[in-house]
Amino acid sequence: MVKIKKPNEYTSLDSGLTAAQVDAKVKAGLTNVQIKKLSRPIPKILADNLFTLFNFLNLVIAILIFWTGSYRNLFFLGPVIANIIIGSYQEIRAKVTIDKISLVNAATFTVTRDGTEQDVDIADLVEDDIVSIKRGDTIPADGIVRYSNGLQTNESSITGEADTISKKVDDEVFSGSFAIAGQAKVQLTQVGQESFVSKISAAVGKEKRSVSVLMKIINNIIKILTYTIIPVGLMLFFRSFLKSGDISKAILGTSASVIGMIPEGLVLLTSVALATGAYNLTKRRILVRSLSAIETLARVDVLCLDKTGTITTGKLTVKKTKTYGASEQQVQAIAQKIVDATQETNATALAVRALKATPLSKDVKEVIPFSSETKYSGFVADDNVRYIMGAPEFIIKNPTPEVTKTVEDAAEHGFRVIAILQEDPQQTLLGLLMISDEVRKQAPDTFNYLRNQGIDLRIISGDNPVTVANVAAQAGIASGKNYIDMSTVTEKNDYHDLVKKYKIFGRVRPSQKADLIKAMQDNGLTVGMTGDGVNDVLAMRQSDCSIAIAGESDAAEASADFVLLNRNFDSMIFMLNEGRRVINNVERVASLFLIKTIYSVVLSIIFIILGTGYPFQPSQLTPINALTVGIPTFILALEPNYTPPAGRFMRNVMEIALPAAICNILLIMTISILGNHLNFSYDTTSTLAVFTLGLIGYCALISISNPLITRKKVMISISFALFIVTFIFSGNAFGLQSILNWQYTYIYVALLLISWPLFMFMREVLGRRVFSKINWK
C-alpha cells in the first residue's frame, strides 16, 4: 500500500482549522473537489449526440448532394437535425434534474473549525481538516487517524480484500474505504485529485462506463454496418457511374442507399429512453447513479432484501426486558452505558436510548465497537470487567435450555433479541432486551406485486433467522419456514445449493451476503440487492443492481445504483415498471429502424450486380422515414409497457424487420422489372417504389403498435392521411409523382391491396420455418 504524506501542520482536535486557514487552502486549490460526476457535462452530451460516425456520413452525403445542385435531396437532414436536437434536449433535461437531486443528497461530513463542529459538503473539505468519521461513513479523502474509538475500516474497493482493518491513532486511512465499526477523528492530508484512489484512477485511465444490454446489441449492429456501408456505397457509386456516365445521378442514387442503411435514430432513441427514465425516477425522489442500471433492474430475476429498513420501518422499540439475577434498571443501565461508550447511532442504539435509563456509573477503560461480523459491542470498565451487548447466538457461550427457549419464543413472535452479558472473566447473562420492529404497511402489497411480476424474493439479514422468517411471513414474502441460520454454515457448504433451497438467510455476515449473491449469479440469475447499512455494502457491490435506502449509511448510498431519497420501498414498483417501459419500447420500435437498413443493403448489392441505378433518391425517402419511423417511434417510446422483458431482442426485432424488408425487396424488384418492361419513367418507378416502402412501413407500424388503443389509432390515422397528402400535393417538393395520375392508379391500388396480406404471409412463413429454429441467444 502506498504511504500517504504526513500532515503539513499539526491541527488541534479541539479547535480545528480557523476560517482564515480554510480560505487560504481554498485559494491554494487544496479542496476535496472530485473529478467524478454523476452525470455527463452538457458539452459532452452535445458532442456525443453530434460527433458520431453516422452524422459524419450524413455530412459527407449532404456535401456531395449540395455539389450536384439537387437541393431538395437535402431534406433528409431535417430528421437528422431533429434527432440531434430532441436527443440533446432530453438528455440535458434529465442531467439538470439528476444534478439538482444529487446536490440535495450530496454527502456532508462533520468537521471541527474555529472550535465548533460544522457540517461541510464533501467537496468543501480542505487539506488538514479534522473530520469526524462514524460507522457507515465513507472516508472522504486520505488522512491520518488522530483519535479512534474502536475504528475499523473496509478497504475492499482499494485492495480487493474484504477484511476488517482496525485503525489506531496515527494509522493511515484512504479515500474509497468506509468505516464498519467505531468512530474516529481524521486529519485529511491528501484531498481531491491528490488522494490515493484518484491517482490510481488517473493512472489507469477514465472510469469505464457500464453499457446496457440494449446498447451492447445496438453497438454490435452498428459495428457490422460500419464495415458494410462504405464499401457497398462505393461499389454502387462506381457501378452506377460507369453504367450511366452521369455523376450526379450516381451520387443521388448512392446517397439514397447509404442514408437508408443508417439507423441514425436507433442509438439516439435508446439514449433518450434511458435518460427519460432517469428523469422520471428523479421526479419520484429516486436518485439514479447509473443509466444502464435502469435496464438492469428491469431484467432482475431475484431481489435480495435486507430486513430492517426495507421490509420493516426500522423504528425499533424495546418492548420487554427479561432479567437473570439482575434488576431491570441495572440491565438497561449497562445497555445505555454501552451505547454511550460506543457512540453508536444505529436503530438498536436509538431504541436503547429511548429507554432514557441512567448509565452505569463506571469509567470506560476500552471501547469494543459494534461490528457486523462479531454481532456485538461493549466496553471494558476500569475494574477490568467486560460488558457486552449483542446477538445471543453469538455471545452466550453455554446457554441454558430456559434461555434458549426464551430466545426462540421471542424470535418466533418477531422480536429481535439482544443479550446483555458481564465477563469478569466468568461470563454471566444479566438480561435480554426484546426489541420489536413493525412491517411497513404497504410491504405485503408491494412484495405481492413483485412476485406476480416473476421476481423471486429472498431475505438476507444479520438477524435471527426465526425472527426474519416471522417478519417474512407477515410481509407475505415466504411461508416463514424456508430459512437457514448462516452462522451454522461452514466453508464446506456449497452456496450454490443453499440459494436454490432457501429463501430466508439469517445471521448472515457481510462477506456471506456477497457470497450468497455471487452464488445466485453463478446459477445464471440477475440479482438485485436492497439495503441501508454498512453491512450491506459488499453485497450491493457484488449484485447486478443495487438499491439503497437513504439516511442510514453513506457507504451504502455511495455503492448503490439507486438511492431511495423518499425512503419509501414501495417506489420499487415504479422503478421496475420504468425500466421495463424503456426496454420494451426500445425493442418494439427498433424494428422500424432496421427495416430500411436491411432492404437498403440488399437492394444496393442487387443493383450493383444488375448494373442499374438505385431506384429512388434521398428526397423521396424523407417524408416516408418521418411518417413511418421518425415521429411514431418517439411517441411509442413513451408508451406504458410493463410486461417482463423476454430477453429476445434480436428475435423480437427481426420478427417485424425481416418480413417487412423482404416484402420491400420483392415489391421493388417487381416494380423495377415491370417498369423496364413497360418503359415507365424514372419518376414513375421511383414514386411506386417509395409508395411501396411507405405501405410496408405502415404494416410494420401497425404490428408493433398492438394493442391498438384509441391514441395509437389516431396517431396512425393522422400519419397515413399525411402520407396520402404527400403523394398528392407535395410531388415537386420531394420529387414524387402524384398518385392521381390515373394511368397508374391500378398499380397503386394493387400495391395497397397486396401489402398487408404479403407482409402477414412473410411473418407467418419466417416465424414458423426460420425464427423458431434459430437460437437467438
Side-chain angles (χ1 to χ4, degrees), residues 320-352:
K320 184 180 179 181
T321 303
K322 174 75 173 177
T323 60
Y324 297 89
S327 68
E328 184 173 314
Q329 290 77 12
Q330 185 180 3
V331 171
Q332 293 181 0
I334 294 172
Q336 182 66 53
K337 186 67 177 180
I338 291 173
V339 169
D340 290 346
T342 59
Q343 300 176 33
E344 276 292 345
T345 58
N346 58 32
T348 302
L350 294 177
V352 171

Side-chain angles (χ1 to χ4, degrees), residues 13-35:
L13 288 179
D14 295 327
S15 60
L17 297 175
T18 65
Q21 288 174 318
V22 172
D23 289 341
K25 291 180 183 295
V26 170
K27 290 178 181 177
L30 300 176
T31 60
N32 200 40
V33 175
Q34 305 292 317
I35 298 175

Side-chain angles (χ1 to χ4, degrees), residues 63-81:
I63 292 172
L64 292 173
I65 291 174
F66 185 83
W67 180 80
T68 67
S70 182
Y71 304 123
R72 70 185 180 190
N73 281 292
L74 294 173
F75 275 126
F76 81 94
L77 288 175
V80 174
I81 296 171

Side-chain angles (χ1 to χ4, degrees), residues 525-731:
L525 300 172
T526 301
V527 185
M529 174 70 195
T530 68
D532 64 347
V534 66
N535 57 318
D536 301 315
V537 171
L538 296 179
M540 293 169 71
R541 288 179 175 172
Q542 177 64 47
S543 68
D544 297 290
C545 180
S546 54
I547 304 101
I549 311 295
E552 295 297 327
S553 166
D554 290 341
E557 293 179 35
S559 302
D561 297 307
F562 302 95
V563 181
L564 302 182
L565 302 179
N566 55 14
R567 297 182 56 80
N568 184 5
F569 187 74
D570 301 339
S571 300
M572 278 296 303
I573 294 176
F574 182 79
M575 294 166 63
L576 178 70
N577 287 340
E578 191 63 25
R580 289 180 172 180
R581 183 191 64 77
V582 170
I583 294 176
N584 292 331
N585 287 338
V586 171
E587 283 190 359
R588 180 167 60 178
V589 302
S591 55
L592 295 180
F593 289 97
L594 295 181
I595 291 170
K596 66 188 185 75
T597 298
I598 297 171
Y599 77 67
S600 295
V601 171
V602 175
L603 285 178
S604 297
I605 294 172
I606 291 174
F607 285 107
I608 288 172
I609 296 171
L610 295 178
T612 58
Y614 205 67
F616 41 80
Q617 297 182 357
S619 64
Q620 296 172 311
L621 281 178
T622 301
I624 308 306
N625 290 339
L627 293 173
T628 63
V629 181
I631 298 172
T633 53
F634 272 97
I635 295 174
L636 292 175
L638 302 177
E639 283 289 306
N641 189 346
Y642 306 137
T643 57
R648 306 181 308 170
F649 179 86
M650 286 308 297
R651 175 167 182 170
N652 291 342
V653 168
M654 287 301 173
E655 281 181 346
I656 300 293
L658 192 56
I662 292 175
C663 289
N664 283 329
I665 294 165
L666 292 176
L667 291 175
I668 289 175
M669 290 307 301
T670 301
I671 291 169
S672 180
I673 295 170
L674 184 65
N676 288 334
H677 180 70
L678 299 178
N679 294 319
F680 288 170
S681 67
Y682 177 80
D683 288 342
T684 299
T685 55
S686 61
T687 301
L688 286 169
V690 173
F691 187 77
T692 298
L693 296 179
L695 292 178
I696 299 300
Y698 280 109
C699 292
L701 180 58
I702 291 170
S703 296
I704 70 164
S705 297
N706 283 320
L708 286 172
I709 58 178
T710 303
R711 64 173 174 269
K712 293 179 184 177
K713 291 178 181 178
V714 171
M715 177 195 72
I716 296 173
S717 297
I718 293 174
S719 176
F720 190 74
L722 292 173
F723 171 76
I724 297 299
V725 168
T726 299
F727 277 88
I728 295 176
F729 300 108
S730 303

Side-chain angles (χ1 to χ4, degrees), residues 299-332:
R299 299 184 188 277
V300 162
D301 302 306
V302 177
L303 184 62
C304 297
L305 311 163
D306 181 42
K307 178 180 75 69
T308 306
T310 303
I311 303 172
T312 62
T313 61
K315 297 177 181 178
L316 306 184
T317 306
V318 178
K319 292 294 186 181
K320 184 180 179 181
T321 303
K322 174 75 173 177
T323 60
Y324 297 89
S327 68
E328 184 173 314
Q329 290 77 12
Q330 185 180 3
V331 171
Q332 293 181 0

